[in-house]
Amino acid sequence: MDELLEQILKECHHYTKEGKLANYIPELAKANPDDFGIYIISSDGRSSRAGDCDKKFTIQSIVKPILLLQALMDNGTEVVRQHVGVEATGKPFDAINASDQTLLSDHLNPMVNMGAIAMCTLIHGETYEEKFQRLLELTRKLAGNPEICLDEAVYLSEKRTGSKNRALAYLLKTYGMIGDEVEDVLDCYFRACSIRVSCADLARIGYTLANHGKLPFTNESVFPVEFARYVNAILMTCGMYDGSGEFAIKVGVPAKSGVGGGIMAVVPTRMGIGIYSPALNAKGNSVAGIKALENLSQKLYLSIF
Ligand code: GLU
């Protein structure tokens, strides 16, 4: 398997030249566009790797499925469903998805920024500091890595420049969809996006979603199978931004991308995959990362369809 992954990275490496680094969060523009790594954990207990799979990068939107899990674990599906819808918006992740008249929870889903900002309010905790710590602990647990921490520079960079997210959060507040102080909620969201991970961390989190909520190797159950189903279904329809339909056809597994260049893919019952390549297409997805997944899906028959 390591050889297969090496070969795929080699075949797809030229695609790293086709994308652009995210620069609307200035700190993200410091990444090396040449970096390309992949890590896979399979149900036979093996892990395979190739390329720059030890590089650290910020999780960005790949925290959204973890936020959703934390919200589900704290409140159950009904409450979460009341606050954040489940339908694909077909629009970019930071779109202002409100009509002239109103904004409803059905206009959001957990994989767009408005949905994720609203989910921060659903995490249990006395303060936003405590809510974030609980989310960080869940991330560490799912990744089996107690050393995962915040990338302070990226966090401050986004906090300084995140006016679009501020606009989205104030809209949520205007329409009564969040009650708390906007800056407190946003601070939790910006920190969540700035959690620093590697491909191996993403592969382990993806594997737990593929394995009905049970951690790799120990099989310890962290969340019930119904939550895995809920999250995976939404990843399938909304995880790759407004490129999710095409990704479903070409790769055919639940996955989530982030503007830091990561992709976490979930192959139900079979594997968790973590990829890193920070050059992005216009929708915010890693260009080479998607190509590698297409290639891998064809070779290993990964599509669930
Ligand atoms: N922190 C980023 C933002 O809110 C996350 C975007 C993403 O990865 O899709 O703009």
Side-chain angles (χ1 to χ4, degrees):
M1 184 79 144
D2 283 358
E3 270 166 42
L4 173 68
L5 297 185
E6 293 285 355
Q7 184 198 333
I8 289 174
L9 290 201
K10 213 159 140 197
E11 282 170 24
C12 298
H13 195 273
H14 65 280
Y15 289 110
T16 60
K17 310 253 178 296
E18 288 188 12
K20 288 202 173 68
L21 296 173
N23 60 7
Y24 75 102
I25 300 173
E27 198 64 24
L28 293 183
K30 295 184 181 166
N32 178 355
D34 245 18
D35 283 347
F36 196 11
I38 183 164
Y39 196 105
I40 295 185
I41 297 188
S42 314
S43 53
D44 59 10
R46 276 192 310 190
S47 33
S48 323
R49 69 188 72 199
D52 304 299
C53 61
D54 294 324
K55 280 266 165 128
K56 302 272 198 291
F57 50 94
T58 50
I59 194 164
Q60 297 300 335
S61 272
I62 309 169
V63 80
K64 287 171 175 149
I66 308 172
L67 254 171
L68 174 57
L69 276 172
Q70 185 72 72
L72 289 169
M73 289 162 79
D74 286 354
N75 305 278
T77 46
E78 253 173 60
V79 172
V80 172
R81 183 64 192 78
Q82 275 162 21
H83 287 84
V84 183
V86 293
E87 302 302 335
T89 64
K91 297 196 176 128
F93 61 89
D94 58 352
I96 295 187
N97 200 22
S99 71
D100 294 349
Q101 305 303 327
T102 188
L103 175 68
L104 301 171
S105 59
D106 275 346
H107 298 147
L108 319 178
N109 73 56
M111 299 301 136
V112 293
N113 289 11
M114 270 192 171
I117 293 166
M119 285 192 302
C120 288
T121 68
L122 298 180
I123 301 176
H124 288 179
E126 292 286 304
T127 60
Y128 273 88
E129 177 62 39
E130 193 185 328
K131 288 175 201 272
F132 171 71
Q133 275 306 323
R134 292 189 63 241
L135 179 73
L136 182 61
E137 283 311 324
L138 178 62
T139 308
R140 289 173 172 160
K141 173 106 193 170
L142 294 173
N145 180 0
E147 281 167 17
I148 289 179
C149 59
L150 187 74
D151 186 319
E152 200 74 26
V154 175
Y155 156 62
L156 292 174
S157 180
E158 184 165 13
K159 194 174 165 80
R160 213 170 33 240
T161 56
S163 35
K164 184 82 182 274
N165 282 320
R166 281 194 175 80
L168 296 174
Y170 277 103
L171 264 181
L172 288 169
K173 179 93 177 175
T174 304
Y175 287 103
M177 295 168 72
I178 59 175
D180 296 336
E181 277 301 316
V182 166
E183 279 303 327
D184 292 346
V185 182
L186 276 175
D187 190 68
C188 179
Y189 173 75
F190 292 147
R191 280 175 195 261
C193 292
S194 303
I195 292 173
R196 202 195 284 135
V197 291
S198 67
C199 292
D201 296 326
L202 294 184
R204 284 196 210 98
I205 299 167
Y207 184 87
T208 310
L209 282 162
N211 193 35
H212 308 311
K214 296 194 198 115
L215 295 177
F217 313 122
T218 62
N219 251 356
E220 178 193 338
S221 180
V222 186
F223 52 85
V225 62
E226 59 169 311
F227 294 171
R229 225 177 277 131
Y230 195 107
V231 174
N232 289 339
I234 291 174
L235 290 183
M236 192 74 242
T237 53
C238 314
M240 300 298 286
Y241 306 121
D242 43 334
S244 298
E246 196 163 342
F247 185 84
I249 293 169
K250 292 196 173 142
V251 182
V253 300
K256 185 75 203 88
S257 54
V259 295
I263 302 180
M264 174 188 78
V266 178
V267 189
T269 74
R270 287 180 63 186
M271 53 179 79
I273 305 172
I275 296 196
Y276 175 57
S277 170
L280 312 176
N281 65 20
K283 297 188 175 194
N285 289 317
S286 166
V287 181
I290 287 190
K291 289 292 177 191
L293 280 169
E294 284 176 17
N295 198 319
L296 193 69
S297 180
Q298 273 168 19
K299 292 199 165 100
L300 299 181
Y301 303 99
L302 298 184
S303 175
I304 62 172
F305 298 108

